[in-house]
Amino acid sequence: MGHVDVRPAPPAEDLPAPPPRTPPKWRAWLWVGLSGVLGVLTGAVTVTAGQYVKLTGNVRHEAVTKQDLGDARPQKISKALNVLIVGSDQRDGANARYGKFPGERTDTIILAHISPNRDGAVLISFPRDSLVQLPACSAKGDRLPGQRPHVGMINESFNSGGIGCTWRTIERLTQIHIDHFVKVDFTGFKAMVNALDGVPVCLPQPVHDKKALLTLPAGRQVLKGEQALGYVRARYSLGDGSDIGRIQRQQMFLASMAKKAMSGETLTDPATLFGFLDAVTKAITTDPDLTIGVMKDLAMSAKGLTAGQIRFVTTPWRYSVTNPGRVEWVQPQAKRLFTMVAADQIAKNVRSGEQKIPKSQIHILVRNGSGRQGLGTEVAAELEQRGYHIVKVEQAPRPYAKTTVAYSANGEGRASRLYRELKKTRSHLVRTATTQALVLGIGADWQGMKPPKTLDDVEGFDATQDSCTAS
């Protein structure tokens, strides 16, 4: 192999688990709001008058005022619908069993953009540890203190001013006009999963997570209730142990859930369909303008929307050098993504139908032989942001002069996709290996990744893909 000692990654189930770390007291927990909204959209057309009244009565509303949002709002430039989706970790009432933490936080923030013609959707996720410029927000009586302009973590906005402050924050950061919001909590999430009779996932290795009360074997299985909640909340026992890795896994769960909610087995079974819609509407809180009637009208215009037209992306980011454990958005890539979404420059890509191995199905072991401390973690973060699955990051046994992608005959298609995104590298076929996983050996000649040219280059996957999708 010349100067580079890069060997193929062992099968994922043989890789050692990441070293244990002290988990935070509470964690981000789900990426589920849009599947509920889409379930209502696709199913609300068919419910009876009596069921319609019941669903309407289920939904809770919370007002967001003009004062909350301020005067400097982005202009609405098309008939696209932009919905802010947040996951709440409120711990009172039915959620008290998950820990006694006062107040309410949101570590799950998604902006769902549904195109003007209702023929495509893109979900932008915002990492909870993002350091951003936070705007001023008004105080909410004795409940929330308000927020002064400063640089802080993106989820501070909810602690300071509730959903109105988060709404204002996302609009200021993205310059995308938001039309509505949807909030979901722990108990609501479990009810939605159970109403679908569970959601299928596929695990590359067994999971034993005491904090999440989760023990699962490797392979395909259907998760319900507490298992599903534990799966989307777990962090250190799965993947590379990072919050970004968890984001990717939660997006895959949401894709699987949305696909099942929009499937024939759900939509053609009246009892299952109404059970799901009942669970969704009981689980969500929305602004007063997002009524069941609005959802039903939207459903009539979005009947042709399919899972393949729903894209998942994550805001371009990198680890902060000055604030360890935090992330910063990468510019101009983040601004370019927001501009494309605001201008609805996604429909062509969403409908392209290009057939290629989903990045989420490409497993990569990253070995840092560059001599630059921390580069392996940085590269892994960028690969994850682009949708690849990182199984491990490790230090190379000795320095590498050149960057190399090592692959087996079974992984050739995966290697070519990764190879095309790197500025300078070479590839190496390991004929004795059989794994589909790749090994990226980072050498002293590392020059980074090629910049994305379109939204298609930064998106992770569409909703036809999930953790059980065959590659």
Side-chain angles (χ1 to χ4, degrees), residues 187-198:
T187 303
F189 166 72
K190 293 191 302 179
M192 291 164 64
V193 172
N194 287 341
L196 290 173
D197 199 28

Side-chain angles (χ1 to χ4, degrees), residues 63-134:
V64 177
T65 67
K66 292 182 179 179
Q67 183 180 358
D68 291 330
L69 302 180
D71 297 326
R73 297 189 64 194
Q75 183 179 0
K76 188 169 179 62
I77 60 177
S78 76
K79 293 183 179 180
L81 188 70
N82 298 308
V83 182
L84 176 64
I85 302 171
V86 300
S88 164
D89 77 340
Q90 190 169 8
R91 305 300 181 91
D92 57 7
N95 296 314
R97 62 179 300 183
Y98 300 108
K100 297 181 179 180
F101 299 105
E104 185 177 9
R105 290 147 295 270
T106 175
D107 279 339
T108 296
I109 305 175
I110 303 173
L111 183 59
H113 170 90
I114 304 174
S115 66
N117 295 328
R118 310 304 185 233
D119 55 0
V122 61
L123 280 73
I124 307 174
S125 62
F126 303 94
R128 69 166 194 169
D129 294 334
S130 298
L131 284 175
V132 297
Q133 181 65 48
L134 299 171

Side-chain angles (χ1 to χ4, degrees), residues 106-329:
T106 175
D107 279 339
T108 296
I109 305 175
I110 303 173
L111 183 59
H113 170 90
I114 304 174
S115 66
N117 295 328
R118 310 304 185 233
D119 55 0
V122 61
L123 280 73
I124 307 174
S125 62
F126 303 94
R128 69 166 194 169
D129 294 334
S130 298
L131 284 175
V132 297
Q133 181 65 48
L134 299 171
C137 291
S138 301
K140 291 288 187 181
D142 297 330
R143 184 170 63 90
L144 296 170
Q147 175 177 285
R148 60 176 176 79
H150 70 289
V151 174
M153 285 178 59
I154 195 169
N155 63 346
E156 288 183 33
S157 59
F158 198 88
N159 301 337
S160 299
I163 187 63
C165 188
T166 299
W167 186 327
R168 176 187 284 210
T169 298
I170 298 301
E171 282 197 339
R172 296 291 176 88
L173 292 173
T174 65
Q175 288 302 300
I176 298 173
H177 184 97
I178 297 173
D179 301 291
H180 301 288
F181 85 86
V182 173
K183 181 176 71 172
V184 192
D185 65 13
F186 290 151
T187 303
F189 166 72
K190 293 191 302 179
M192 291 164 64
V193 172
N194 287 341
L196 290 173
D197 199 28
V199 173
V201 301
C202 289
L203 302 176
Q205 60 195 57
V207 177
H208 303 285
D209 191 314
K210 293 182 179 179
K211 294 291 183 181
L213 303 177
L214 190 65
T215 299
L216 298 171
R220 181 184 176 92
Q221 51 220 288
V222 176
L223 302 187
K224 299 180 181 180
E226 291 293 343
Q227 280 190 325
L229 181 61
Y231 177 75
V232 297
R233 293 181 68 205
R235 174 173 178 176
Y236 300 110
S237 60
L238 291 166
D240 66 352
S242 74
D243 189 56
I244 301 298
R246 177 171 54 185
I247 285 175
Q248 188 181 57
R249 173 164 40 84
Q250 291 170 337
Q251 287 176 324
M252 293 293 280
F253 188 91
L254 173 56
S256 185
M257 188 173 182
K259 187 162 59 175
K260 188 166 185 180
M262 299 171 72
S263 68
E265 65 177 296
T266 300
L267 298 180
T268 60
D269 184 327
T272 300
L273 174 59
F274 182 74
F276 178 64
L277 297 179
D278 189 43
V280 170
T281 50
K282 287 178 179 176
I284 63 176
T285 300
T286 75
D287 58 282
D289 292 333
L290 185 56
T291 64
I292 293 294
V294 171
M295 295 180 189
K296 185 173 181 178
D297 291 341
L298 183 58
M300 294 301 295
S301 61
K303 287 187 292 185
L305 187 66
T306 66
Q309 294 169 306
I310 304 171
R311 289 285 178 93
F312 298 84
V313 303
T314 302
T315 303
W317 62 276
R318 65 183 166 220
Y319 284 113
S320 173
V321 176
T322 56
N323 294 274
R326 303 290 182 258
V327 301
E328 300 167 345
W329 294 356

Side-chain angles (χ1 to χ4, degrees), residues 331-341 451-453:
Q331 300 296 353
Q333 290 92 326
K335 183 177 180 180
R336 185 163 55 231
L337 169 63
F338 302 147
T339 300
M340 283 191 290
V341 171
K453 297 179 180 179

Side-chain angles (χ1 to χ4, degrees), residues 5 15 23 27 47-48 56 94 123 130 137 169 213 250 288 294 297 310 356 427 431 464:
D5 179 21
L15 290 173
R27 303 169 175 181
V47 299
T48 66
T56 299
L123 280 73
S130 298
C137 291
T169 298
L213 303 177
Q250 291 170 337
V294 171
D297 291 341
I310 304 171
K356 52 189 176 183
S427 59
R431 299 185 184 280
T464 62

